[in-house]
PDB file of all heavy atoms in Angstrom:
ATOM      1  N   THR A 852     -16.379  -5.957  -6.033  1.00  0.00           N
ATOM      2  CA  THR A 852     -15.767  -5.513  -4.798  1.00  0.00           C
ATOM      3  C   THR A 852     -15.825  -6.544  -3.681  1.00  0.00           C
ATOM      4  O   THR A 852     -15.025  -6.513  -2.755  1.00  0.00           O
ATOM      5  CB  THR A 852     -16.375  -4.195  -4.344  1.00  0.00           C
ATOM      6  OG1 THR A 852     -17.799  -4.367  -4.152  1.00  0.00           O
ATOM      7  CG2 THR A 852     -16.147  -3.083  -5.349  1.00  0.00           C
ATOM      8  N   ALA A 853     -16.820  -7.410  -3.737  1.00  0.00           N
ATOM      9  CA  ALA A 853     -16.957  -8.450  -2.692  1.00  0.00           C
ATOM     10  C   ALA A 853     -15.776  -9.400  -2.694  1.00  0.00           C
ATOM     11  O   ALA A 853     -15.518 -10.081  -1.687  1.00  0.00           O
ATOM     12  CB  ALA A 853     -18.240  -9.177  -2.848  1.00  0.00           C
ATOM     13  N   SER A 854     -15.047  -9.475  -3.783  1.00  0.00           N
ATOM     14  CA  SER A 854     -13.888 -10.391  -3.884  1.00  0.00           C
ATOM     15  C   SER A 854     -12.587  -9.780  -3.444  1.00  0.00           C
ATOM     16  O   SER A 854     -11.574 -10.434  -3.427  1.00  0.00           O
ATOM     17  CB  SER A 854     -13.764 -10.874  -5.334  1.00  0.00           C
ATOM     18  OG  SER A 854     -14.923 -11.632  -5.698  1.00  0.00           O
ATOM     19  N   ILE A 855     -12.600  -8.512  -3.055  1.00  0.00           N
ATOM     20  CA  ILE A 855     -11.366  -7.855  -2.612  1.00  0.00           C
ATOM     21  C   ILE A 855     -10.971  -8.394  -1.252  1.00  0.00           C
ATOM     22  O   ILE A 855     -11.796  -8.419  -0.350  1.00  0.00           O
ATOM     23  CB  ILE A 855     -11.551  -6.327  -2.527  1.00  0.00           C
ATOM     24  CG1 ILE A 855     -11.830  -5.744  -3.911  1.00  0.00           C
ATOM     25  CG2 ILE A 855     -10.306  -5.684  -1.927  1.00  0.00           C
ATOM     26  CD1 ILE A 855     -12.174  -4.299  -3.910  1.00  0.00           C
ATOM     27  N   ASN A 856      -9.715  -8.839  -1.118  1.00  0.00           N
ATOM     28  CA  ASN A 856      -9.296  -9.424   0.133  1.00  0.00           C
ATOM     29  C   ASN A 856      -8.192  -8.580   0.820  1.00  0.00           C
ATOM     30  O   ASN A 856      -7.815  -8.890   1.932  1.00  0.00           O
ATOM     31  CB  ASN A 856      -8.849 -10.881   0.002  1.00  0.00           C
ATOM     32  CG  ASN A 856      -7.688 -11.069  -0.955  1.00  0.00           C
ATOM     33  OD1 ASN A 856      -7.049 -10.122  -1.367  1.00  0.00           O
ATOM     34  ND2 ASN A 856      -7.421 -12.317  -1.264  1.00  0.00           N
ATOM     35  N   ALA A 857      -7.729  -7.550   0.147  1.00  0.00           N
ATOM     36  CA  ALA A 857      -6.734  -6.668   0.759  1.00  0.00           C
ATOM     37  C   ALA A 857      -6.630  -5.412  -0.124  1.00  0.00           C
ATOM     38  O   ALA A 857      -6.995  -5.416  -1.293  1.00  0.00           O
ATOM     39  CB  ALA A 857      -5.389  -7.342   0.860  1.00  0.00           C
ATOM     40  N   MET A 858      -6.161  -4.348   0.473  1.00  0.00           N
ATOM     41  CA  MET A 858      -5.938  -3.144  -0.286  1.00  0.00           C
ATOM     42  C   MET A 858      -4.639  -2.470   0.188  1.00  0.00           C
ATOM     43  O   MET A 858      -4.127  -2.799   1.262  1.00  0.00           O
ATOM     44  CB  MET A 858      -7.100  -2.147  -0.158  1.00  0.00           C
ATOM     45  CG  MET A 858      -7.198  -1.532   1.227  1.00  0.00           C
ATOM     46  SD  MET A 858      -8.296  -0.055   1.251  1.00  0.00           S
ATOM     47  CE  MET A 858      -7.307   1.069   0.234  1.00  0.00           C
ATOM     48  N   GLY A 859      -4.146  -1.604  -0.662  1.00  0.00           N
ATOM     49  CA  GLY A 859      -2.944  -0.895  -0.283  1.00  0.00           C
ATOM     50  C   GLY A 859      -2.787   0.390  -1.063  1.00  0.00           C
ATOM     51  O   GLY A 859      -3.517   0.655  -2.041  1.00  0.00           O
ATOM     52  N   TRP A 860      -1.905   1.192  -0.583  1.00  0.00           N
ATOM     53  CA  TRP A 860      -1.507   2.431  -1.265  1.00  0.00           C
ATOM     54  C   TRP A 860      -0.032   2.387  -1.603  1.00  0.00           C
ATOM     55  O   TRP A 860       0.779   1.979  -0.743  1.00  0.00           O
ATOM     56  CB  TRP A 860      -1.816   3.654  -0.402  1.00  0.00           C
ATOM     57  CG  TRP A 860      -3.250   3.965  -0.296  1.00  0.00           C
ATOM     58  CD1 TRP A 860      -4.117   3.586   0.680  1.00  0.00           C
ATOM     59  CD2 TRP A 860      -4.017   4.800  -1.151  1.00  0.00           C
ATOM     60  NE1 TRP A 860      -5.372   4.084   0.454  1.00  0.00           N
ATOM     61  CE2 TRP A 860      -5.346   4.854  -0.663  1.00  0.00           C
ATOM     62  CE3 TRP A 860      -3.716   5.501  -2.339  1.00  0.00           C
ATOM     63  CZ2 TRP A 860      -6.363   5.550  -1.306  1.00  0.00           C
ATOM     64  CZ3 TRP A 860      -4.748   6.213  -2.963  1.00  0.00           C
ATOM     65  CH2 TRP A 860      -6.020   6.230  -2.450  1.00  0.00           C
ATOM     66  N   TYR A 861       0.277   2.742  -2.768  1.00  0.00           N
ATOM     67  CA  TYR A 861       1.652   2.862  -3.259  1.00  0.00           C
ATOM     68  C   TYR A 861       1.893   4.267  -3.772  1.00  0.00           C
ATOM     69  O   TYR A 861       0.938   5.020  -4.051  1.00  0.00           O
ATOM     70  CB  TYR A 861       1.929   1.845  -4.388  1.00  0.00           C
ATOM     71  CG  TYR A 861       1.932   0.386  -3.940  1.00  0.00           C
ATOM     72  CD1 TYR A 861       0.744  -0.237  -3.586  1.00  0.00           C
ATOM     73  CD2 TYR A 861       3.096  -0.342  -3.897  1.00  0.00           C
ATOM     74  CE1 TYR A 861       0.706  -1.546  -3.200  1.00  0.00           C
ATOM     75  CE2 TYR A 861       3.083  -1.672  -3.504  1.00  0.00           C
ATOM     76  CZ  TYR A 861       1.922  -2.279  -3.168  1.00  0.00           C
ATOM     77  OH  TYR A 861       1.897  -3.599  -2.776  1.00  0.00           O
ATOM     78  N   ARG A 862       3.135   4.599  -3.900  1.00  0.00           N
ATOM     79  CA  ARG A 862       3.452   5.917  -4.472  1.00  0.00           C
ATOM     80  C   ARG A 862       4.714   5.785  -5.334  1.00  0.00           C
ATOM     81  O   ARG A 862       5.526   4.934  -5.137  1.00  0.00           O
ATOM     82  CB  ARG A 862       3.689   6.950  -3.387  1.00  0.00           C
ATOM     83  CG  ARG A 862       4.913   6.718  -2.513  1.00  0.00           C
ATOM     84  CD  ARG A 862       4.945   7.752  -1.377  1.00  0.00           C
ATOM     85  NE  ARG A 862       6.126   7.571  -0.549  1.00  0.00           N
ATOM     86  CZ  ARG A 862       6.317   8.184   0.605  1.00  0.00           C
ATOM     87  NH1 ARG A 862       5.422   9.017   1.064  1.00  0.00           N
ATOM     88  NH2 ARG A 862       7.438   7.969   1.315  1.00  0.00           N
ATOM     89  N   GLN A 863       4.770   6.698  -6.280  1.00  0.00           N
ATOM     90  CA  GLN A 863       5.922   6.726  -7.185  1.00  0.00           C
ATOM     91  C   GLN A 863       6.327   8.152  -7.366  1.00  0.00           C
ATOM     92  O   GLN A 863       5.591   8.972  -7.923  1.00  0.00           O
ATOM     93  CB  GLN A 863       5.599   6.088  -8.557  1.00  0.00           C
ATOM     94  CG  GLN A 863       6.796   5.962  -9.442  1.00  0.00           C
ATOM     95  CD  GLN A 863       6.522   5.035 -10.615  1.00  0.00           C
ATOM     96  OE1 GLN A 863       5.386   4.793 -10.979  1.00  0.00           O
ATOM     97  NE2 GLN A 863       7.584   4.522 -11.207  1.00  0.00           N
ATOM     98  N   ALA A 864       7.515   8.471  -6.874  1.00  0.00           N
ATOM     99  CA  ALA A 864       8.084   9.796  -7.002  1.00  0.00           C
ATOM    100  C   ALA A 864       8.861   9.880  -8.314  1.00  0.00           C
ATOM    101  O   ALA A 864       9.263   8.865  -8.886  1.00  0.00           O
ATOM    102  CB  ALA A 864       8.990  10.105  -5.826  1.00  0.00           C
ATOM    103  N   PRO A 865       9.076  11.086  -8.830  1.00  0.00           N
ATOM    104  CA  PRO A 865       9.820  11.251 -10.071  1.00  0.00           C
ATOM    105  C   PRO A 865      11.195  10.565  -9.993  1.00  0.00           C
ATOM    106  O   PRO A 865      11.955  10.768  -9.054  1.00  0.00           O
ATOM    107  CB  PRO A 865       9.943  12.770 -10.231  1.00  0.00           C
ATOM    108  CG  PRO A 865       8.763  13.300  -9.488  1.00  0.00           C
ATOM    109  CD  PRO A 865       8.592  12.399  -8.327  1.00  0.00           C
ATOM    110  N   GLY A 866      11.500   9.741 -10.981  1.00  0.00           N
ATOM    111  CA  GLY A 866      12.746   9.060 -11.024  1.00  0.00           C
ATOM    112  C   GLY A 866      12.937   7.943 -10.072  1.00  0.00           C
ATOM    113  O   GLY A 866      14.025   7.341  -9.965  1.00  0.00           O
ATOM    114  N   LYS A 867      11.870   7.557  -9.369  1.00  0.00           N
ATOM    115  CA  LYS A 867      11.919   6.508  -8.380  1.00  0.00           C
ATOM    116  C   LYS A 867      10.996   5.331  -8.794  1.00  0.00           C
ATOM    117  O   LYS A 867      10.080   5.465  -9.598  1.00  0.00           O
ATOM    118  CB  LYS A 867      11.524   6.981  -6.996  1.00  0.00           C
ATOM    119  CG  LYS A 867      12.363   8.131  -6.471  1.00  0.00           C
ATOM    120  CD  LYS A 867      13.770   7.686  -6.138  1.00  0.00           C
ATOM    121  CE  LYS A 867      14.558   8.821  -5.464  1.00  0.00           C
ATOM    122  NZ  LYS A 867      15.937   8.363  -5.143  1.00  0.00           N
ATOM    123  N   GLN A 868      11.287   4.175  -8.184  1.00  0.00           N
ATOM    124  CA  GLN A 868      10.405   3.032  -8.326  1.00  0.00           C
ATOM    125  C   GLN A 868       9.121   3.203  -7.525  1.00  0.00           C
ATOM    126  O   GLN A 868       9.104   3.927  -6.522  1.00  0.00           O
ATOM    127  CB  GLN A 868      11.103   1.727  -7.920  1.00  0.00           C
ATOM    128  CG  GLN A 868      12.372   1.395  -8.703  1.00  0.00           C
ATOM    129  CD  GLN A 868      12.028   0.657  -9.979  1.00  0.00           C
ATOM    130  OE1 GLN A 868      11.485   1.234 -10.898  1.00  0.00           O
ATOM    131  NE2 GLN A 868      12.356  -0.597 -10.015  1.00  0.00           N
ATOM    132  N   ARG A 869       8.083   2.564  -7.951  1.00  0.00           N
ATOM    133  CA  ARG A 869       6.862   2.560  -7.129  1.00  0.00           C
ATOM    134  C   ARG A 869       7.122   1.806  -5.829  1.00  0.00           C
ATOM    135  O   ARG A 869       7.697   0.721  -5.839  1.00  0.00           O
ATOM    136  CB  ARG A 869       5.748   1.872  -7.910  1.00  0.00           C
ATOM    137  CG  ARG A 869       4.370   1.977  -7.229  1.00  0.00           C
ATOM    138  CD  ARG A 869       3.266   1.448  -8.126  1.00  0.00           C
ATOM    139  NE  ARG A 869       3.154   2.196  -9.358  1.00  0.00           N
ATOM    140  CZ  ARG A 869       2.178   2.033 -10.287  1.00  0.00           C
ATOM    141  NH1 ARG A 869       1.259   1.080 -10.054  1.00  0.00           N
ATOM    142  NH2 ARG A 869       2.178   2.734 -11.347  1.00  0.00           N
ATOM    143  N   GLU A 870       6.721   2.430  -4.714  1.00  0.00           N
ATOM    144  CA  GLU A 870       7.003   1.841  -3.440  1.00  0.00           C
ATOM    145  C   GLU A 870       5.727   1.704  -2.615  1.00  0.00           C
ATOM    146  O   GLU A 870       4.778   2.468  -2.756  1.00  0.00           O
ATOM    147  CB  GLU A 870       8.005   2.689  -2.664  1.00  0.00           C
ATOM    148  CG  GLU A 870       7.527   4.048  -2.286  1.00  0.00           C
ATOM    149  CD  GLU A 870       8.509   4.819  -1.399  1.00  0.00           C
ATOM    150  OE1 GLU A 870       9.485   4.204  -0.944  1.00  0.00           O
ATOM    151  OE2 GLU A 870       8.255   6.021  -1.152  1.00  0.00           O
ATOM    152  N   LEU A 871       5.737   0.706  -1.763  1.00  0.00           N
ATOM    153  CA  LEU A 871       4.601   0.453  -0.866  1.00  0.00           C
ATOM    154  C   LEU A 871       4.543   1.533   0.184  1.00  0.00           C
ATOM    155  O   LEU A 871       5.562   1.846   0.836  1.00  0.00           O
ATOM    156  CB  LEU A 871       4.755  -0.936  -0.241  1.00  0.00           C
ATOM    157  CG  LEU A 871       3.708  -1.311   0.826  1.00  0.00           C
ATOM    158  CD1 LEU A 871       2.344  -1.452   0.188  1.00  0.00           C
ATOM    159  CD2 LEU A 871       4.121  -2.603   1.513  1.00  0.00           C
ATOM    160  N   VAL A 872       3.352   2.047   0.431  1.00  0.00           N
ATOM    161  CA  VAL A 872       3.115   3.017   1.505  1.00  0.00           C
ATOM    162  C   VAL A 872       2.391   2.362   2.684  1.00  0.00           C
ATOM    163  O   VAL A 872       2.819   2.479   3.829  1.00  0.00           O
ATOM    164  CB  VAL A 872       2.315   4.205   0.982  1.00  0.00           C
ATOM    165  CG1 VAL A 872       1.984   5.144   2.133  1.00  0.00           C
ATOM    166  CG2 VAL A 872       3.110   4.947  -0.076  1.00  0.00           C
ATOM    167  N   ALA A 873       1.291   1.704   2.383  1.00  0.00           N
ATOM    168  CA  ALA A 873       0.455   1.089   3.429  1.00  0.00           C
ATOM    169  C   ALA A 873      -0.385  -0.001   2.872  1.00  0.00           C
ATOM    170  O   ALA A 873      -0.792   0.019   1.682  1.00  0.00           O
ATOM    171  CB  ALA A 873      -0.429   2.156   4.112  1.00  0.00           C
ATOM    172  N   THR A 874      -0.679  -1.013   3.674  1.00  0.00           N
ATOM    173  CA  THR A 874      -1.578  -2.093   3.275  1.00  0.00           C
ATOM    174  C   THR A 874      -2.598  -2.327   4.387  1.00  0.00           C
ATOM    175  O   THR A 874      -2.354  -2.025   5.573  1.00  0.00           O
ATOM    176  CB  THR A 874      -0.832  -3.392   3.002  1.00  0.00           C
ATOM    177  OG1 THR A 874      -0.146  -3.832   4.171  1.00  0.00           O
ATOM    178  CG2 THR A 874       0.149  -3.235   1.837  1.00  0.00           C
ATOM    179  N   LEU A 875      -3.716  -2.859   3.998  1.00  0.00           N
ATOM    180  CA  LEU A 875      -4.787  -3.180   4.940  1.00  0.00           C
ATOM    181  C   LEU A 875      -5.420  -4.504   4.525  1.00  0.00           C
ATOM    182  O   LEU A 875      -5.969  -4.605   3.430  1.00  0.00           O
ATOM    183  CB  LEU A 875      -5.853  -2.081   5.008  1.00  0.00           C
ATOM    184  CG  LEU A 875      -6.973  -2.256   6.001  1.00  0.00           C
ATOM    185  CD1 LEU A 875      -6.431  -2.215   7.433  1.00  0.00           C
ATOM    186  CD2 LEU A 875      -8.008  -1.162   5.816  1.00  0.00           C
ATOM    187  N   SER A 876      -5.334  -5.505   5.384  1.00  0.00           N
ATOM    188  CA  SER A 876      -5.927  -6.801   5.089  1.00  0.00           C
ATOM    189  C   SER A 876      -7.395  -6.778   5.385  1.00  0.00           C
ATOM    190  O   SER A 876      -7.927  -5.889   6.062  1.00  0.00           O
ATOM    191  CB  SER A 876      -5.209  -7.898   5.908  1.00  0.00           C
ATOM    192  OG  SER A 876      -5.579  -7.809   7.265  1.00  0.00           O
ATOM    193  N   ASN A 877      -8.092  -7.836   4.892  1.00  0.00           N
ATOM    194  CA  ASN A 877      -9.528  -7.963   5.202  1.00  0.00           C
ATOM    195  C   ASN A 877      -9.748  -8.082   6.718  1.00  0.00           C
ATOM    196  O   ASN A 877     -10.816  -7.718   7.211  1.00  0.00           O
ATOM    197  CB  ASN A 877     -10.134  -9.160   4.467  1.00  0.00           C
ATOM    198  CG  ASN A 877     -10.683  -8.763   3.141  1.00  0.00           C
ATOM    199  OD1 ASN A 877     -10.516  -7.671   2.667  1.00  0.00           O
ATOM    200  ND2 ASN A 877     -11.371  -9.759   2.492  1.00  0.00           N
ATOM    201  N   GLY A 878      -8.780  -8.656   7.401  1.00  0.00           N
ATOM    202  CA  GLY A 878      -8.862  -8.787   8.837  1.00  0.00           C
ATOM    203  C   GLY A 878      -8.557  -7.527   9.607  1.00  0.00           C
ATOM    204  O   GLY A 878      -8.598  -7.535  10.825  1.00  0.00           O
ATOM    205  N   GLY A 879      -8.261  -6.444   8.924  1.00  0.00           N
ATOM    206  CA  GLY A 879      -8.007  -5.168   9.552  1.00  0.00           C
ATOM    207  C   GLY A 879      -6.618  -4.936  10.020  1.00  0.00           C
ATOM    208  O   GLY A 879      -6.354  -4.017  10.780  1.00  0.00           O
ATOM    209  N   ILE A 880      -5.677  -5.760   9.524  1.00  0.00           N
ATOM    210  CA  ILE A 880      -4.270  -5.571   9.870  1.00  0.00           C
ATOM    211  C   ILE A 880      -3.646  -4.560   8.938  1.00  0.00           C
ATOM    212  O   ILE A 880      -3.604  -4.776   7.735  1.00  0.00           O
ATOM    213  CB  ILE A 880      -3.528  -6.916   9.859  1.00  0.00           C
ATOM    214  CG1 ILE A 880      -4.158  -7.902  10.823  1.00  0.00           C
ATOM    215  CG2 ILE A 880      -2.059  -6.692  10.151  1.00  0.00           C
ATOM    216  CD1 ILE A 880      -3.574  -9.302  10.741  1.00  0.00           C
ATOM    217  N   ALA A 881      -3.129  -3.504   9.504  1.00  0.00           N
ATOM    218  CA  ALA A 881      -2.516  -2.429   8.727  1.00  0.00           C
ATOM    219  C   ALA A 881      -1.011  -2.495   8.883  1.00  0.00           C
ATOM    220  O   ALA A 881      -0.480  -2.759   9.948  1.00  0.00           O
ATOM    221  CB  ALA A 881      -3.027  -1.069   9.140  1.00  0.00           C
ATOM    222  N   ASN A 882      -0.331  -2.239   7.816  1.00  0.00           N
ATOM    223  CA  ASN A 882       1.127  -2.149   7.800  1.00  0.00           C
ATOM    224  C   ASN A 882       1.523  -0.903   7.025  1.00  0.00           C
ATOM    225  O   ASN A 882       0.912  -0.540   6.038  1.00  0.00           O
ATOM    226  CB  ASN A 882       1.766  -3.397   7.159  1.00  0.00           C
ATOM    227  CG  ASN A 882       1.605  -4.624   8.054  1.00  0.00           C
ATOM    228  OD1 ASN A 882       2.331  -4.804   9.025  1.00  0.00           O
ATOM    229  ND2 ASN A 882       0.674  -5.518   7.667  1.00  0.00           N
ATOM    230  N   TYR A 883       2.614  -0.301   7.488  1.00  0.00           N
ATOM    231  CA  TYR A 883       3.075   0.953   6.922  1.00  0.00           C
ATOM    232  C   TYR A 883       4.555   0.908   6.654  1.00  0.00           C
ATOM    233  O   TYR A 883       5.322   0.248   7.372  1.00  0.00           O
ATOM    234  CB  TYR A 883       2.794   2.122   7.861  1.00  0.00           C
ATOM    235  CG  TYR A 883       1.302   2.313   8.182  1.00  0.00           C
ATOM    236  CD1 TYR A 883       0.791   1.703   9.328  1.00  0.00           C
ATOM    237  CD2 TYR A 883       0.498   3.086   7.391  1.00  0.00           C
ATOM    238  CE1 TYR A 883      -0.564   1.864   9.618  1.00  0.00           C
ATOM    239  CE2 TYR A 883      -0.808   3.270   7.687  1.00  0.00           C
ATOM    240  CZ  TYR A 883      -1.368   2.654   8.813  1.00  0.00           C
ATOM    241  OH  TYR A 883      -2.702   2.843   9.116  1.00  0.00           O
ATOM    242  N   ALA A 884       4.970   1.638   5.623  1.00  0.00           N
ATOM    243  CA  ALA A 884       6.355   1.838   5.438  1.00  0.00           C
ATOM    244  C   ALA A 884       6.904   2.678   6.608  1.00  0.00           C
ATOM    245  O   ALA A 884       6.206   3.513   7.148  1.00  0.00           O
ATOM    246  CB  ALA A 884       6.613   2.597   4.105  1.00  0.00           C
ATOM    247  N   ASP A 885       8.162   2.440   6.960  1.00  0.00           N
ATOM    248  CA  ASP A 885       8.764   3.144   8.098  1.00  0.00           C
ATOM    249  C   ASP A 885       8.714   4.636   7.916  1.00  0.00           C
ATOM    250  O   ASP A 885       8.544   5.383   8.888  1.00  0.00           O
ATOM    251  CB  ASP A 885      10.180   2.688   8.296  1.00  0.00           C
ATOM    252  CG  ASP A 885      10.308   1.265   8.856  1.00  0.00           C
ATOM    253  OD1 ASP A 885       9.318   0.762   9.420  1.00  0.00           O
ATOM    254  OD2 ASP A 885      11.373   0.671   8.745  1.00  0.00           O
ATOM    255  N   SER A 886       8.778   5.080   6.709  1.00  0.00           N
ATOM    256  CA  SER A 886       8.866   6.505   6.410  1.00  0.00           C
ATOM    257  C   SER A 886       7.557   7.274   6.676  1.00  0.00           C
ATOM    258  O   SER A 886       7.539   8.458   6.776  1.00  0.00           O
ATOM    259  CB  SER A 886       9.301   6.755   4.967  1.00  0.00           C
ATOM    260  OG  SER A 886       8.388   6.165   4.071  1.00  0.00           O
TER     261      SER A 886
END
């Protein structure tokens, strides 16, 4: 776990591609899908 430099959450709805929901960098920068 010490080697993790970023994390994120993705989701996949039925019949859909996996999509990005949110990311969080080691520096604490968060990004979110508009939805």
Side-chain angles (χ1 to χ4, degrees):
T852 57
S854 297
I855 297 174
N856 61 11
M858 69 164 294
W860 287 93
Y861 292 71
R862 67 186 181 190
Q863 187 166 21
K867 302 290 186 179
Q868 298 276 71
R869 187 173 299 185
E870 66 175 351
L871 175 67
V872 175
T874 60
L875 182 65
S876 72
N877 270 7
I880 300 173
N882 289 284
Y883 301 92
D885 288 340
S886 60

